Amino acid sequence: MSEGHNAVVADPAWAAAAEAIVRAGRRMDQRGWVPATAGNISVRLADGRIALTRSGGHKGFLNADDVIEVDLQGRPQREGDRPSAETLLHCQIYGNFPAAGAVLHGHSVAATVLSMATKASALYLADYEVQKVFEGQTTHAARVTVPVFDNDQDIAHLSRSVALYLDDMKAGYIIRGHGVYVWGPTMDVALARLEGLEFLLACELERVKLGVPTRIAEERL
Ligand SMILES: CSC[C@@H](O)[C@@H](O)C(=O)COP(=O)(O)O
Ligand SMILES: [Zn+2]
C-alpha cells in the first residue's frame, strides 16, 4: 500500500501520471467527449501502480488529488478512496495487455448515437486514411472492427462479455448507448487512438445523416 498522493512532489513518477490524466481530461472535455461527470482515465506506471480518476468528478476540471491508486484487481490503495465506477474495465485492459500504459473512456455523441442506431454487435470502419492510427493498420483499404457490447450497470458482468473479444481489438470497443474504451502504450498514443476513433465515428454519423451509403454496420442504420 502506498502513501497518500497529496505529496506528489516526493513521488515524481506519480506526479507525472497524475498530470497526464489531468491533461487528458481537459483535452477530452474540449472535444465534448466527457459530458457532465462522464468518462474515466487511467495510467499504469512503470512500477505497475495504476493511477485512475476518482468516481463522479468532471473530467475537464481534474486536479492531482482527483487521481487515486488502485491495484490490478481494482482495489483502492488508500482507505476511503472511491475509484471510477468502471475501474474493472481499466484493470481488465492492463491485465490483458502487458504493454498498455493508458486507458481512456469517453461518452461522445457519435459513439452513443451510432451504437444505439443498430442492434449489431460490431461497427465497422473502412476506407478511411485515419484508420492507420490503430495498431497494426497500414492502409485505408481494410475494415477495422469495433465490437459493441450492450450496456450493463454490472461492470463485472460486462467485463466478462468484453473478455471474449479483447485479444482481437484494434481500435478499442464501444458500450452501446454509453461510450468507447481505447488504450495505448502511452497517454499520447491512447489519446491519438481515441481522437482517430472519434473522428471516424463522427464521419460515419455525418454520412448516416446525409443518407449516403456507409459500411458502418452490417444491418442498415
Ligand atoms: C454521467 S454518468 C457516467 C457514469 O455512469 C460512467 O459511465 C462514467 O463514465 C463515469 O463514472 P466515474 O465513476 O466517474 O468514472
Ligand atoms: Zn462511462
Side-chain angles (χ1 to χ4, degrees):
M1 180 145 326
S2 60
E3 301 296 318
H5 298 303
N6 289 331
V8 286
V9 183
D11 188 346
W14 183 270
E19 174 60 19
I21 288 172
V22 169
R23 280 195 303 114
R26 283 195 205 120
R27 174 77 177 149
M28 291 167 74
D29 182 36
Q30 283 162 0
R31 301 302 303 264
W33 300 334
V34 282
T37 58
N40 28 73
I41 306 167
S42 67
V43 162
R44 176 160 56 188
L45 282 73
D47 61 12
R49 285 180 291 171
I50 297 171
L52 172 74
T53 44
R54 284 184 199 278
S55 184
H58 194 296
K59 307 314 178 292
F61 302 103
L62 296 171
N63 60 57
D65 195 46
D66 297 317
V67 178
I68 63 174
E69 184 184 348
V70 296
D71 66 13
L72 204 50
Q73 282 69 47
R75 293 177 295 224
Q77 297 300 286
R78 198 170 59 166
E79 210 177 314
D81 278 348
R82 185 163 154 247
S84 165
E86 287 146 13
T87 298
L88 276 185
L89 300 178
H90 290 251
C91 293
Q92 176 179 43
I93 290 164
Y94 291 124
N96 200 71
F97 299 106
V103 178
L104 299 170
H105 166 58
H107 290 211
S108 70
V109 170
T112 304
V113 171
L114 288 171
S115 63
M116 293 178 95
T118 174
K119 290 187 166 60
S121 58
L123 297 180
Y124 300 97
L125 302 166
D127 307 327
Y128 290 103
E129 181 69 12
V130 168
Q131 285 165 214
K132 286 159 63 181
V133 76
F134 302 130
E135 190 162 21
Q137 303 304 299
T138 56
T139 174
H140 65 285
R143 189 173 84 152
V144 177
T145 303
V146 187
V148 178
F149 301 97
D150 288 338
N151 200 10
D152 193 334
Q153 300 302 321
D154 180 343
I155 299 299
H157 185 256
L158 175 59
S159 74
R160 288 194 287 278
S161 304
V162 172
L164 302 174
Y165 299 90
L166 204 49
D167 285 337
D168 295 325
M169 292 183 195
K170 305 279 181 262
Y173 64 86
I174 297 174
I175 309 173
R176 197 182 314 281
H178 181 164
V180 302
Y181 271 88
V182 171
W183 54 93
T186 64
M187 181 59 86
D188 284 351
V189 172
L191 277 168
R193 290 183 182 163
L194 178 65
E195 193 157 341
L197 178 59
E198 292 297 353
F199 168 77
L200 295 172
L201 292 173
C203 288
E204 287 295 320
L205 185 55
E206 289 300 315
R207 288 168 76 169
V208 172
K209 287 196 285 190
L210 287 171
V212 299
T214 160
R215 295 167 65 191
I216 184 77
E218 282 178 340
E219 61 183 60
R220 201 176 177 287
L221 285 184

